[in-house]
Short mmCIF file of all heavy atoms in Angstrom, two decimals:
data_model
loop_
_atom_site.label_atom_id
_atom_site.label_comp_id
_atom_site.label_asym_id
_atom_site.label_seq_id
_atom_site.Cartn_x
_atom_site.Cartn_y
_atom_site.Cartn_z
N ALA A 1 84.17 114.61 87.47
CA ALA A 1 84.24 113.82 86.08
C ALA A 1 85.76 113.64 85.81
O ALA A 1 86.12 112.52 85.31
CB ALA A 1 83.49 114.66 85.05
N THR A 2 86.58 114.60 85.90
CA THR A 2 88.01 114.52 85.59
C THR A 2 88.56 113.34 86.41
O THR A 2 89.36 112.66 85.91
CB THR A 2 88.66 115.82 85.79
OG1 THR A 2 88.00 116.88 84.90
CG2 THR A 2 90.14 115.77 85.39
N GLU A 3 88.27 113.43 87.70
CA GLU A 3 88.95 112.41 88.64
C GLU A 3 88.44 111.04 88.31
O GLU A 3 89.17 110.12 88.43
CB GLU A 3 88.61 112.88 90.12
CG GLU A 3 89.22 114.16 90.47
CD GLU A 3 90.74 114.29 90.12
OE1 GLU A 3 91.54 113.47 90.73
OE2 GLU A 3 91.12 115.05 89.34
N LEU A 4 87.12 110.88 87.94
CA LEU A 4 86.60 109.64 87.65
C LEU A 4 87.38 109.09 86.40
O LEU A 4 87.54 107.89 86.35
CB LEU A 4 85.16 109.73 87.31
CG LEU A 4 84.29 108.43 86.81
CD1 LEU A 4 84.42 107.38 87.91
CD2 LEU A 4 82.82 108.92 86.66
N LYS A 5 87.60 109.86 85.45
CA LYS A 5 88.25 109.46 84.19
C LYS A 5 89.64 108.79 84.56
O LYS A 5 90.04 107.85 83.88
CB LYS A 5 88.51 110.62 83.17
CG LYS A 5 87.35 111.09 82.51
CD LYS A 5 87.75 112.22 81.57
CE LYS A 5 86.61 112.90 80.98
NZ LYS A 5 86.87 114.08 80.23
N LYS A 6 90.23 109.27 85.61
CA LYS A 6 91.54 108.80 85.92
C LYS A 6 91.59 107.45 86.37
O LYS A 6 92.57 106.62 86.20
CB LYS A 6 92.25 109.62 86.98
CG LYS A 6 92.51 111.10 86.54
CD LYS A 6 93.08 111.89 87.69
CE LYS A 6 93.37 113.31 87.20
NZ LYS A 6 93.84 114.16 88.31
N CYS A 7 90.48 107.05 87.08
CA CYS A 7 90.48 105.67 87.77
C CYS A 7 89.32 104.82 87.32
O CYS A 7 89.06 103.73 87.93
CB CYS A 7 90.46 105.86 89.26
SG CYS A 7 88.99 106.78 89.94
N ILE A 8 88.58 105.21 86.19
CA ILE A 8 87.43 104.50 85.74
C ILE A 8 87.60 102.99 85.51
O ILE A 8 86.73 102.28 85.79
CB ILE A 8 86.80 105.17 84.56
CG1 ILE A 8 85.40 104.52 84.27
CG2 ILE A 8 87.69 105.05 83.36
CD1 ILE A 8 84.34 104.74 85.19
N ASP A 9 88.88 102.54 85.17
CA ASP A 9 88.96 101.31 84.92
C ASP A 9 88.99 100.38 86.13
O ASP A 9 88.86 99.13 86.17
CB ASP A 9 90.43 100.93 84.20
CG ASP A 9 90.26 101.57 82.73
OD1 ASP A 9 89.22 101.72 82.21
OD2 ASP A 9 91.44 101.89 82.28
N TYR A 10 89.05 101.01 87.35
CA TYR A 10 89.00 100.27 88.61
C TYR A 10 87.63 100.48 89.41
O TYR A 10 87.50 99.98 90.51
CB TYR A 10 90.18 100.76 89.47
CG TYR A 10 91.46 100.41 88.82
CD1 TYR A 10 92.24 101.37 88.17
CD2 TYR A 10 92.05 99.14 89.15
CE1 TYR A 10 93.51 101.06 87.74
CE2 TYR A 10 93.28 98.75 88.70
CZ TYR A 10 93.99 99.74 87.92
OH TYR A 10 95.20 99.46 87.36
N VAL A 11 86.72 101.27 88.80
CA VAL A 11 85.55 101.55 89.54
C VAL A 11 84.63 100.41 89.36
O VAL A 11 84.15 100.08 88.28
CB VAL A 11 84.90 102.89 88.88
CG1 VAL A 11 83.60 103.21 89.68
CG2 VAL A 11 85.83 104.05 89.24
N ALA A 12 84.14 99.91 90.50
CA ALA A 12 83.26 98.79 90.61
C ALA A 12 81.75 99.29 91.05
O ALA A 12 80.66 98.76 90.60
CB ALA A 12 83.77 97.79 91.48
N THR A 13 81.73 100.41 91.82
CA THR A 13 80.52 100.88 92.37
C THR A 13 80.61 102.41 92.28
O THR A 13 81.75 102.95 92.52
CB THR A 13 80.14 100.48 93.75
OG1 THR A 13 81.26 100.80 94.69
CG2 THR A 13 79.94 98.97 93.87
N MET A 14 79.41 103.06 92.19
CA MET A 14 79.34 104.55 92.30
C MET A 14 78.45 104.96 93.41
O MET A 14 77.42 104.40 93.58
CB MET A 14 78.79 105.08 90.98
CG MET A 14 79.64 105.02 89.86
SD MET A 14 81.04 106.15 89.76
CE MET A 14 80.27 107.78 89.76
N GLU A 15 78.90 105.96 94.09
CA GLU A 15 78.12 106.62 95.13
C GLU A 15 77.91 107.96 94.61
O GLU A 15 78.89 108.84 94.66
CB GLU A 15 78.80 106.54 96.33
CG GLU A 15 78.02 106.64 97.60
CD GLU A 15 78.71 106.16 98.98
OE1 GLU A 15 78.84 104.99 99.06
OE2 GLU A 15 79.15 107.06 99.59
N VAL A 16 76.68 108.42 94.34
CA VAL A 16 76.47 109.82 93.80
C VAL A 16 75.77 110.75 94.85
O VAL A 16 74.77 110.30 95.40
CB VAL A 16 75.67 109.79 92.57
CG1 VAL A 16 76.61 109.20 91.33
CG2 VAL A 16 74.46 108.89 92.65
N LYS A 17 76.40 111.80 95.02
CA LYS A 17 75.92 112.89 95.76
C LYS A 17 76.35 114.19 95.29
O LYS A 17 77.48 114.20 94.68
CB LYS A 17 76.06 112.69 97.20
CG LYS A 17 77.45 112.70 97.62
CD LYS A 17 77.63 112.46 99.21
CE LYS A 17 79.09 112.51 99.53
NZ LYS A 17 79.38 111.64 100.57
N ASP A 18 75.77 115.27 95.59
CA ASP A 18 76.34 116.61 95.20
C ASP A 18 77.00 117.24 96.40
O ASP A 18 76.92 116.67 97.48
CB ASP A 18 75.16 117.59 94.76
CG ASP A 18 75.59 118.48 93.61
OD1 ASP A 18 76.80 118.71 93.53
OD2 ASP A 18 74.72 118.91 92.89
N HIS A 19 77.75 118.25 96.23
CA HIS A 19 78.48 118.96 97.32
C HIS A 19 78.60 120.41 96.98
O HIS A 19 78.45 120.87 95.90
CB HIS A 19 79.84 118.45 97.41
CG HIS A 19 80.64 118.83 98.58
ND1 HIS A 19 81.84 119.76 98.53
CD2 HIS A 19 80.54 118.77 99.91
CE1 HIS A 19 82.27 120.00 99.68
NE2 HIS A 19 81.42 119.33 100.61
N ASP A 20 78.69 121.33 98.04
CA ASP A 20 78.76 122.74 97.88
C ASP A 20 80.09 123.26 97.35
O ASP A 20 80.24 124.45 96.98
CB ASP A 20 78.39 123.48 99.13
CG ASP A 20 79.31 123.33 100.25
OD1 ASP A 20 80.41 122.51 100.08
OD2 ASP A 20 79.09 123.95 101.33
N GLY A 21 81.01 122.37 97.35
CA GLY A 21 82.41 122.72 96.70
C GLY A 21 83.39 123.33 97.63
O GLY A 21 84.47 123.69 97.34
N LYS A 22 83.12 123.48 98.93
CA LYS A 22 83.89 124.07 99.85
C LYS A 22 84.74 122.93 100.59
O LYS A 22 84.09 121.99 101.06
CB LYS A 22 83.11 124.84 100.91
CG LYS A 22 82.44 126.02 100.33
CD LYS A 22 81.56 126.85 101.23
CE LYS A 22 80.76 127.82 100.55
NZ LYS A 22 79.67 128.26 101.28
N LEU A 23 86.07 123.13 100.67
CA LEU A 23 86.88 122.09 101.33
C LEU A 23 86.41 121.73 102.65
O LEU A 23 86.25 122.50 103.45
CB LEU A 23 88.36 122.62 101.29
CG LEU A 23 89.31 121.65 101.83
CD1 LEU A 23 89.51 120.37 100.88
CD2 LEU A 23 90.79 122.26 101.96
N GLN A 24 86.22 120.41 102.80
CA GLN A 24 85.84 119.74 104.10
C GLN A 24 84.63 120.52 104.75
O GLN A 24 84.45 120.65 105.89
CB GLN A 24 87.01 119.74 105.07
CG GLN A 24 87.92 118.67 104.40
CD GLN A 24 88.97 118.27 105.42
OE1 GLN A 24 89.01 118.63 106.68
NE2 GLN A 24 89.90 117.34 105.03
N SER A 25 83.80 121.04 103.84
CA SER A 25 82.50 121.66 104.35
C SER A 25 81.52 120.36 104.75
O SER A 25 80.88 119.84 103.93
CB SER A 25 81.80 122.38 103.28
OG SER A 25 80.59 122.92 103.57
N TRP A 26 81.60 120.00 106.07
CA TRP A 26 81.12 118.77 106.47
C TRP A 26 79.50 118.85 106.40
O TRP A 26 78.93 119.70 106.80
CB TRP A 26 81.40 118.45 107.97
CG TRP A 26 80.89 117.27 108.36
CD1 TRP A 26 80.09 117.03 109.52
CD2 TRP A 26 81.14 115.89 107.95
NE1 TRP A 26 79.81 115.74 109.63
CE2 TRP A 26 80.43 115.02 108.69
CE3 TRP A 26 81.90 115.41 106.86
CZ2 TRP A 26 80.51 113.68 108.53
CZ3 TRP A 26 81.87 114.07 106.57
CH2 TRP A 26 81.20 113.19 107.43
N LYS A 27 78.99 117.78 105.81
CA LYS A 27 77.61 117.52 105.53
C LYS A 27 76.91 118.74 104.84
O LYS A 27 75.90 119.14 105.41
CB LYS A 27 76.98 117.15 106.83
CG LYS A 27 77.51 115.82 107.49
CD LYS A 27 76.37 115.09 108.17
CE LYS A 27 77.01 113.83 108.62
NZ LYS A 27 76.03 112.77 108.60
N THR A 28 77.43 119.17 103.90
CA THR A 28 76.86 120.10 103.05
C THR A 28 76.53 119.52 101.75
O THR A 28 77.36 119.85 100.73
CB THR A 28 77.53 121.48 102.96
OG1 THR A 28 77.82 121.93 104.40
CG2 THR A 28 76.67 122.57 102.32
#
């Protein structure tokens, strides 16, 4: 949400998915 606020004026499409929060935790 914080990162989205920074660039929202340029966002044309959204891709939504959740993540486990671990850096480069591939396909989690």
Side-chain angles (χ1 to χ4, degrees):
T2 301
E3 297 307 299
L4 177 59
K5 283 181 194 176
K6 294 175 182 179
C7 61
I8 187 66
D9 292 336
Y10 295 98
V11 175
T13 60
M14 288 289 299
E15 200 165 282
V16 289
K17 66 181 178 215
D18 215 336
H19 186 248
D20 67 359
K22 298 175 186 160
L23 185 64
Q24 296 193 359
S25 177
W26 183 241
K27 293 214 177 210
T28 308

